[in-house]
């Protein structure tokens, strides 16, 4: 019987009994990771908040209401009398500051840059969440396969228990050989314990991204093929690089704002003055302008600081690209290594282990081999099949990580 068919049967026995089991496919897990995630909602709300504030970035400041009493006498016959003297007025006025147009446009540009920066952070977080969900699903899928395989291997070894007893009773086998079956079962049981822990850990990681409890991986695993050329050409549009790009753009917007500080701002002041009715009321209109005459000590240092920040952002962008390229090549090398090890184990080691097990069984039946040889061969075959699943998982996970991390369409 093919071991994958046995795994499928054992998996039905193990997982069909879970009342709260929630079957989930790979693509379904990825879709769930893209929605209703608290960390994504937090980043989306941050973007929405910045969009709301950006609408008022280039608006004029709120006008200022001014009121008071001017030239009120406090001594003499007219003390504290508002209507005795000509200069005395009760004034009410409105003052409006008018920043220069370049400053208003720079503030609007900086607000837009903040939005783009928040959106880039959202893409980075979305990418990280999707990668984590995909890897958790793959870990769960292979833990399930390994567990089913371990159960099947134990069932196959238990079939040798009555054979060992009969051989010992007939004198064709030593009593110690019957203990070898127990040792082999315990070895598989140790592997099963580790696999169960891996499955529970993968379930815990996956439940962070999907609703429900005790998820069960269902459906085909993602393919192991990647296109290195396509992925390499998409590095410039990677979310991490786009984040560095927006950080640089934001720094350049800050330069524009710092330079706009060198231009004068304006203001207008309109005042209504109530006087003695015999003299009539008055209206005053005044304008103001700022005088950036000490730019060398005020505006210029801020401009220099903003330019330094922009240069730093540009350097960080170059460093981020180098780091991404290096990480991509490392991940690509890991995928190639895992694929080769999996292929070698599947195409070379597994046929040898199967042939050995079949030959030992035939030799034992012909009386030319001992039962302990059969047990060792079948145990080695079972452990190798588990190891092949581990290598296959490493290959699938490496390929999925490459596609999810570096593909251009990743959002």
């Amino acid at each position: 019987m093919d071991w994958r068919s046995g795994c499928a049967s054992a998996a039905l026995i193990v997982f069909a009994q879970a009342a709260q089991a929630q079957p989930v496919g790979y693509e379904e897990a990825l879709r769930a990771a893209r929605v209703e995630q608290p960390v994504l909602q937090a980043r989306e709300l941050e973007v929405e908040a910045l969009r709301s504030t950006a609408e008022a970035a280039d608006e004029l400041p709120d006008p200022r209401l001014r009121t008071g009493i001017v030239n009120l006498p406090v001594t003499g016959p007219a003390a504290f009398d508002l209507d005795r003297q000509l200069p005395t007025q009760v004034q009410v006025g409105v003052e409006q500051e008018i920043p220069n147009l370049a400053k208003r446009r720079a503030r609007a540009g900086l607000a837009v840059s903040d939005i783009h920066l928040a959106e880039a952070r959202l893409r980075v977080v979305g990418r990280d969440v999707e990668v984590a969900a995909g890897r958790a699903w793959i870990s769960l899928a292979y833990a399930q396969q390994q567990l089913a395989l371990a159960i099947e291997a134990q069932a196959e070894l238990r079939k040798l228990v009555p054979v060992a007893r009969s051989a010992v009773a007939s004198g064709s086998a030593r009593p110690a050989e019957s203990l070898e079956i127990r040792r082999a079962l315990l070895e598989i049981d140790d592997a099963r314990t580790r696999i169960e822990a891996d499955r529970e850990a993968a379930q815990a990681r996956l439940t962070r991204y999907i609703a429900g409890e005790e998820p069960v991986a269902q459906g085909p695993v993602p393919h192991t093929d990647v296109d290195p050329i396509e992925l390499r050409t998409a590095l410039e549009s990677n979310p991490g690089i786009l984040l560095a790009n927006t950080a640089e753009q934001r720094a350049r917007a800050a330069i524009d704002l710092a330079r706009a500080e060198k231009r004068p701002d304006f203001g207008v002041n309109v005042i209504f003055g109530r006087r003695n009715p015999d003299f009539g009321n008055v209206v005053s209109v005044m304008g103001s302008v700022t005088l950036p005459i000490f730019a060398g000590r005020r505006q210029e240092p801020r401009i220099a600081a903003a330019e330094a920040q922009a240069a730093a952002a540009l350097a960080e962008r170059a460093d981020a690209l180098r780091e991404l390229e290096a990480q991509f090549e490392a991940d690509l090398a890991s995928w190639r290594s895992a694929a080769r090890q999996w292929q070698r184990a599947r195409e070379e080691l597994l046929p040898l282990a199967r042939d050995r097990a079949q030959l030992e069984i035939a030799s034992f039946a012909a009386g030319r081999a001992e039962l302990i040889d059969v047990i060792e061969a079948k145990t080695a075959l079972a452990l190798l099949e588990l190891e092949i699943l581990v290598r296959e998982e490493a290959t699938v996970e490496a390929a999925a990580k490459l596609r999810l991390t570096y593909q251009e369409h990743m959002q």
Side-chain angles (χ1 to χ4, degrees), residues 366-377:
R368 295 192 300 271
E370 298 181 355
L371 180 61
I372 192 171
D373 298 323
V374 177
I375 296 172
E376 289 178 354

Side-chain angles (χ1 to χ4, degrees), residues 236-248:
E236 288 283 350
S237 60
N238 187 270
I241 301 304
L242 295 179
L243 176 60
N245 289 342
T246 55
E248 180 189 355

Side-chain angles (χ1 to χ4, degrees), residues 175-232:
E177 294 185 20
S178 62
L179 300 178
E180 183 64 20
I181 298 180
R182 292 180 57 189
R183 186 201 64 79
L185 288 171
L186 289 174
E187 189 173 359
I188 301 297
D189 201 45
D190 282 344
R192 180 175 172 177
T193 301
R194 173 185 56 78
I195 294 167
E196 288 174 343
D198 292 342
R199 183 193 64 177
E200 292 173 1
Q203 283 181 322
R205 295 198 305 273
L206 189 57
T207 52
R208 176 184 176 183
Y209 307 106
I210 65 173
E213 299 179 355
E214 298 186 14
V216 173
Q218 178 178 271
V221 298
H223 61 85
T224 60
D225 298 330
V226 298
D227 187 344
I229 297 177
E230 178 185 353
L231 295 178
R232 191 175 285 108

Side-chain angles (χ1 to χ4, degrees), residues 4 26 134-135 137-139 141-142 145 220-226 334-335 338-339 342 388-404:
R4 288 188 182 271
Y26 178 71
R135 296 179 69 178
W137 188 95
I138 292 170
S139 296
Y142 279 96
Q145 291 187 39
V221 298
H223 61 85
T224 60
D225 298 330
V226 298
S334 297
W335 166 73
W342 175 41
I388 289 174
L389 277 179
V390 172
R391 297 187 183 190
E392 181 181 349
E393 176 186 354
T395 305
V396 171
E397 182 176 338
K401 179 183 177 183
L402 282 168
R403 289 191 300 271
L404 293 174

Side-chain angles (χ1 to χ4, degrees), residues 20-246:
Q20 296 180 343
Q22 177 189 0
V24 57
Y26 178 71
E27 293 296 334
E28 182 183 353
L30 294 184
R31 286 193 298 271
R34 300 185 191 110
V35 298
E36 297 182 359
Q37 299 301 321
V39 64
L40 294 180
Q41 292 177 355
R43 292 293 176 265
E44 289 169 354
L45 290 173
E46 179 182 356
V47 172
E48 187 62 29
L50 290 172
R51 285 174 179 166
S52 298
T53 57
E55 297 177 357
D58 61 346
E59 294 293 325
L60 294 176
D62 289 335
R64 180 177 299 171
L65 178 66
R66 302 186 65 175
T67 184
I69 301 175
V70 179
N71 297 324
L72 176 67
V74 293
T75 60
F80 301 103
D81 190 339
L82 297 177
D83 296 328
R84 289 287 299 273
Q85 292 186 357
L86 174 63
T88 303
Q89 299 179 22
V90 177
Q91 293 186 346
V92 177
V94 176
E95 181 179 339
Q96 176 66 63
E97 296 179 0
I98 306 175
N100 66 75
L101 185 59
K103 182 183 294 185
R104 293 172 59 189
R105 288 176 176 173
R107 287 174 178 173
L110 189 63
V112 172
S113 298
D114 286 335
I115 295 174
H116 292 166
L117 188 61
E119 290 174 340
R121 287 172 179 157
L122 174 60
R123 284 192 293 268
V124 170
V125 173
R127 186 270 314 273
D128 294 342
V129 165
E130 195 168 10
V131 170
R135 296 179 69 178
W137 188 95
I138 292 170
S139 296
L140 178 57
Y142 279 96
Q144 292 172 184
Q145 291 187 39
Q146 292 178 54
L147 182 57
L149 180 58
I151 294 173
E152 183 70 14
Q154 286 181 319
E156 290 292 323
L157 286 174
R158 287 193 180 98
K159 294 178 182 179
L160 297 177
V161 173
V163 177
R165 290 174 180 171
S166 299
V168 171
S170 64
S172 61
R174 300 189 306 273
E177 294 185 20
S178 62
L179 300 178
E180 183 64 20
I181 298 180
R182 292 180 57 189
R183 186 201 64 79
L185 288 171
L186 289 174
E187 189 173 359
I188 301 297
D189 201 45
D190 282 344
R192 180 175 172 177
T193 301
R194 173 185 56 78
I195 294 167
E196 288 174 343
D198 292 342
R199 183 193 64 177
E200 292 173 1
Q203 283 181 322
R205 295 198 305 273
L206 189 57
T207 52
R208 176 184 176 183
Y209 307 106
I210 65 173
E213 299 179 355
E214 298 186 14
V216 173
Q218 178 178 271
V221 298
H223 61 85
T224 60
D225 298 330
V226 298
D227 187 344
I229 297 177
E230 178 185 353
L231 295 178
R232 191 175 285 108
T233 57
L235 292 180
E236 288 283 350
S237 60
N238 187 270
I241 301 304
L242 295 179
L243 176 60
N245 289 342
T246 55

